Amino acid sequence: LRARHPLRALWHDLSAATTSLRRAWRVNATIVGCVALGIAATSAILTLFSAVIIRPVPFPDADRLVRVWSVEDNTLRQGRGQLSMADVRDIANRMTMIEPFVATVRSRIMFLGERGARRVEGEAVTPGYFELLDLRPELGRLFLPEEYELASEPVMLLAYGTWINEFGGDSAILGSTVRTADRNYTVVGVLPEEFIGTIEDDIPDIEFWIPVAHDRTPALHARRDVATAWTIGRLRPGVTVEQANQEVRSIGEWLARTYAEERGARGHRVEAFGENWRARLRTWNYVLLGAAGLLLVVAAANVAGLLLARSLTRRREYSLRSALGAGSARLVQHALTESLVLAAVGGIIGIIVAPWILFAFLNLAPEEVPTYVDITLDKWAMAISFGCIGATALFAGVLPAWVAARVSPGSALRSGGRGANVGRVERSGGRVVVVSEVALTTILLVTAGLLVRTYHALSITEVGFRTNDVVQMAIFIDTRDVDDVQSLPAFYDRLVETVATYPGVESVGLASPTVPPGYAPDERITFADLDDQYRDHGLLVQSHAIDTGFLETLDIKLVAGRNVATTDGPNDRLVVVISASLAELMGGVEQAIGQQIDDGRVSYQVVGVAADVLYYGAVRRRARDLDIYVPLHQSLPRTVSLAIATRGDAESFISPLRGRLNNLAPSSALDWVSSITAELDNHLGSSRFYMLLVGAFAVSALVLTAVGLFATLAYHVAQQRTQFGIRQALGANRKRVIRDVMRQGFFVVATGLLLGTLGGVIVARTLSATVQRLAGFDAITLVVAAAVVSFPALIAIYLPAARAARGSPMDVLRN
C-alpha cells in the first residue's frame, strides 16, 4: 500500500507476483505450458503458411516474375505443359509485355570419374537466365555471351553441393575439365549454396548448368513436338498477368495456325512464378492453418479457464486489499502484472521451442516446396501468436480482479471470499471456456479422423501389380559397353541373366524408360473406332517398352491374346499389348485383338490385352488406365530399367545387384534405384504429412481440453465446498456427491460435443468438396472423435468429484 510511485508499485507487483506464482506453481506451470505450446505450434504453422502461400519467391521483382505454360486447348486456363525451344524463340520474338523471357531445359549427362560413371541432373539455360534471377557466383564467373553459341567450347557451372561433395571444395576446379559420356566441359564457376535451380520437379537434384546449345542438337531444338523447356519472364512495369495472358494466347493461336502439323493446336497461358507448386499445396496449407488456429484458440481458452479457476483463491485476498484501501485500479494492476509474468515466461519458452517444431515439420514434409524458398521462423507469425494468447491471458487475469474489486469487501469477507455474484460470473465463464474447448477439439479430431481414413484407404488400395519385395533400377547403356544398336538385344539377355542368377532373385523383367511407378512417356494414338472427340489430336496413353519377363515379374495378368515375345524383333511386324481399359474403347477385349494402333509414326497390331493397373497408386490415380506395351527388342532403347522380384527384403538386394551391374557394364551409369514399395510410399507422403500434423494438433488440443475441464470442475468443487459439507452433514452419501459433480461435468462436455459435431459435419463436407480423394464424413468418424474426447473428459470430471466426496463435513464447516 505504500508503493505510491508507479515504478516502485511496478517493482512491488513484480516481486509479489513472483512470490505468488511460486506458491501456486502447479497451476502456473500449466498456464505457462499452454502459452508456450500455443505460441510454438502456431508460429511454426504460420511460418510455413507464410513461406509457401504468401511470401514472394526470393528473386528480384518476384511479384512480376511469370511462367508461360503450354495447354492442350487455347481457351483453357488450366494445365501446365512445357514448351518446345522453337516455340520459346517465337514467343520471345513476338512478346512485348514480358521482358526478358528466358528458358531452362532438363539436362541429363554422365559424369565419368575415377569411381565410374554417374548419371547427374542439371539445367541447360538460355542467355539472360542468371541475370534475370540476379545470381552471383560463389566462385568464378557466369557464362559469357559467346559461350551460348553452338560453335563455342562447352562450359559448365557447378552446384555448390556438387563442388563440395564431388570435388572437395577445391578452388582449383576453375578451368579444369569435367569428363562426360558426350563431351568434356570446362568449369568456369560455382553457384551459391542456396540456389538449386528453378525446375521445381528436379529440385534438389540439380548439380550443374550448361548453355542450352550444348545440350541438344540443333535439329532437336527445331522440333516443335519436343516440349521440354521451362520458361521464366518478367512483366514490364504496369503490365498485369491477365494482359500478358491475352498477348501470349494470341501468339499461341498464331503458332497453332502456322505449325498445326508439327505441334498440334496447343495454346499458351501466363501464370505467376511459383504458382505451379503453390497450387498443389494451397488447400492443404489452409487446412493446416485452420488446425493451427483451432489449437491457438483452445490454448487461449485453456489459459483463460485456468486463470479464472485460479482467481477463486485470490478473491478473499482482493477483498482484504480493497478493505485496506486499495482501489480498483490498484487491484487490476496487480493482477495485470501476474498475467504479464505468466504470458512472458510462456512466450519465451514458446519462442525457444518454435524453431525445433518448425524443423520437425520440415523433416516430415514431402519434397514439394522448392529449396529456393526460405522457410525460417517468421517474426510476424510469432507476434500474432503471442498477441492472441497474451491478450487472452491479460483479459482472463484482469477480469477476476476487476469483478472482485466491485464486490463489497464486507460481504465478501463475511462469506469467506466466495460471493454469490462473483461465483455466478466465474461459473458461467468457466463453462463457456470448457464448452468451447470441447467443441473445437471435436472439430480437430473429426478432421484428423478424415485424414486417417483417407490415408488408410489410399495405402490399402489394390494397385493390380506386385509391389512387395521388388527392386527397381535403371541402367544407361554407354556406347563403350555396347557400341552399336544391333548388339543391344544380346546385352539385354546378359543383363537379365546376370541379375537372375543372383541368390534370392525370383524373376527379372525389363522396361524402358522406367519401371512404374516411375515416369512413362505419353503417346497419342488413333485406331479405327476412336471417338470423334479424340480423332483430331489422338487418345493420350502411356507407353512402356517391355521384355517377356516384365508382366510376369510384376504379376500383371494377361486377359487375352499373348505377351510380347523374344521373336518380336526389330525386323518383324510391330506388335503391342494394351490395357483392358483401352481394349474396352476398341470394342471389347476379344474384339481388340488384331486391330491396328497408329501413333503418328508407325502402326502396331494388337496381340494381347493386359489387366488394368494403378501404376501410381491411389493418390495419383488416372481417370482411365490407358497403357500400351511395345516389345523392348523392337524399340532398342539405351535406357533400360529392371524390375527384380526377390525373396526377402528388397532393399537388402540393392547393393549386391548394383555391384553386379557395374561389373557387367562399367561405363554405364545406374540410377532410379529403390524398391517399388518405397516409390509408392513416396506418393503417399503428402497425405501422411498432413494427417500427422493435424493429428498432432488434435492430440495437443485434447490434452489442453482435459486440463481445462479438470481445472474448471476443480474450481466449481472448491467453490461449492461448503454446500457439499452441509449436504454430507445432513446425511448425503459420497456417491450422491460424486454423481452431482459428474452430472455438471457431463452437461458441459455434452454441450461441447454437440456443437463440435455440428462444426465437424460442416468442416468435413467443406473439405470433401475441395480436397481430392478425401474420405467422406460418416458416423464412424463422429463416434470415434466423440469417444476420444469423452475418455479424458471422464477422467477430468471424476477426479474433482472424488476429491469433493473425500472432504470431511466437520472440517468444511469449521473453516
Side-chain angles (χ1 to χ4, degrees), residues 33-247:
C34 293
V35 173
L37 176 62
I39 289 178
T42 310
S43 297
I45 288 299
L46 284 176
T47 296
L48 190 63
F49 182 83
S50 175
V52 172
I53 303 300
I54 299 176
R55 286 189 220 158
V57 293
F59 298 120
D61 299 321
D63 57 330
R64 290 163 51 203
L65 291 182
V66 295
R67 286 194 188 274
V68 175
W69 298 108
S70 169
V71 293
E72 288 298 319
D73 184 342
N74 204 31
T75 63
L76 292 180
R77 299 181 61 86
Q78 301 300 319
R80 297 181 180 91
Q82 284 78 58
L83 277 63
S84 68
M85 285 302 300
D87 282 0
V88 170
R89 286 192 296 270
D90 284 336
I91 292 174
N93 291 334
R94 290 173 169 267
M95 173 64 65
T96 62
M97 295 185 179
I98 299 177
E99 175 68 30
F101 185 65
V102 301
T104 177
V105 177
R106 284 174 168 167
S107 180
R108 304 291 186 265
I109 61 178
M110 306 278 192
F111 274 11
L112 302 179
E114 296 178 357
R115 294 174 291 180
R118 187 171 71 89
R119 182 176 181 271
V120 294
E121 301 178 8
E123 292 182 1
V125 301
T126 61
Y129 174 81
F130 301 111
E131 290 74 14
L132 174 64
L133 302 176
D134 195 28
L135 287 172
R136 299 290 183 270
E138 182 76 20
L139 187 70
R141 62 172 175 82
L142 301 175
F143 299 144
L144 301 175
E146 58 270 20
E147 290 173 336
Y148 288 98
E149 300 296 329
L150 180 62
S152 64
E153 290 296 322
V155 290
M156 176 181 289
L157 289 167
L158 293 177
Y160 186 90
T162 305
W163 176 50
I164 296 296
N165 299 327
E166 192 79 10
F167 303 99
D170 187 359
S171 59
I173 188 68
L174 295 179
S176 64
T177 299
V178 173
R179 294 174 53 242
T180 74
D182 303 311
R183 66 195 78 183
N184 295 333
Y185 292 86
T186 301
V187 177
V188 298
V190 177
L191 291 187
E193 182 177 6
E194 61 272 12
F195 183 71
I196 315 290
T198 55
I199 298 181
E200 289 89 0
D201 288 357
D202 289 345
I203 293 174
D205 300 323
I206 302 297
E207 298 194 42
F208 68 89
W209 290 263
I210 58 176
V212 73
H214 296 299
D215 179 65
R216 307 285 176 93
T217 64
L220 199 58
H221 283 159
R223 287 181 56 177
R224 296 184 183 271
D225 60 336
V226 179
T228 58
W230 295 58
T231 63
I232 310 175
R234 182 189 292 125
L235 296 174
R236 289 183 177 274
V239 175
T240 65
V241 171
E242 187 55 39
Q243 290 173 333
N245 205 24
Q246 292 294 332
E247 185 179 33

Side-chain angles (χ1 to χ4, degrees), residues 71 204 340 497 604 651 653 685 708:
V71 293
L340 278 172
E497 182 182 1
Y604 300 91
E651 299 285 345
F653 285 81

Side-chain angles (χ1 to χ4, degrees), residues 107 196 199 300 362 479 491 510 512 648 675 682 736 777:
S107 180
I196 315 290
I199 298 181
L362 295 179
T479 53
F491 178 80
L510 301 181
S512 181
S675 66
N682 287 337
R736 178 66 182 271
F777 179 77

Side-chain angles (χ1 to χ4, degrees), residues 107 134 182 216 254 279 306 317 410 437 579 601 604 767 777 805:
S107 180
D134 195 28
D182 303 311
R216 307 285 176 93
W254 174 80
L306 290 169
E317 174 192 337
E437 287 184 280
S579 63
R601 299 183 302 272
Y604 300 91
L767 290 179
F777 179 77

Side-chain angles (χ1 to χ4, degrees), residues 461-467 554-557 611-615:
T461 300
E462 289 293 334
V463 294
F465 66 100
R466 177 174 176 173
T467 60
L554 293 186
D555 289 341
I556 300 174
K557 297 179 180 178
D612 287 342
V613 289
L614 304 180
Y615 277 132

Side-chain angles (χ1 to χ4, degrees), residues 702-741:
L702 184 62
V703 172
L704 292 177
T705 299
V707 172
L709 184 59
F710 173 79
T712 302
L713 286 176
Y715 156 68
H716 289 326
V717 168
Q719 189 180 37
Q720 300 175 67
R721 187 172 54 178
T722 301
Q723 178 193 135
F724 291 144
I726 294 173
R727 290 175 62 186
Q728 286 182 290
L730 294 176
N733 57 30
R734 293 186 176 183
K735 291 183 179 180
R736 178 66 182 271
V737 172
I738 292 175
R739 187 169 64 249
D740 290 346
V741 174

Side-chain angles (χ1 to χ4, degrees), residues 438-460:
V438 172
L440 295 175
T441 302
T442 303
I443 293 174
L444 268 177
L445 284 170
V446 168
T447 306
L450 290 177
L451 296 180
V452 170
R453 288 184 54 236
T454 300
Y455 178 76
H456 180 259
L458 293 175
S459 62
I460 65 173

Side-chain angles (χ1 to χ4, degrees), residues 466-473 499-500 502-509 552-555 642-657 674-677:
R466 177 174 176 173
T467 60
N468 294 327
D469 305 324
V470 179
V471 176
Q472 62 170 355
M473 57 180 65
V499 175
Y502 185 80
V505 171
E506 293 182 352
S507 60
V508 180
E552 178 184 353
T553 298
L554 293 186
D555 289 341
L642 298 94
I644 308 164
T646 65
R647 290 187 293 272
D649 180 25
E651 299 285 345
S652 64
F653 285 81
I654 289 178
S655 180
L657 291 177
S674 66
S675 66
I676 289 185
T677 301

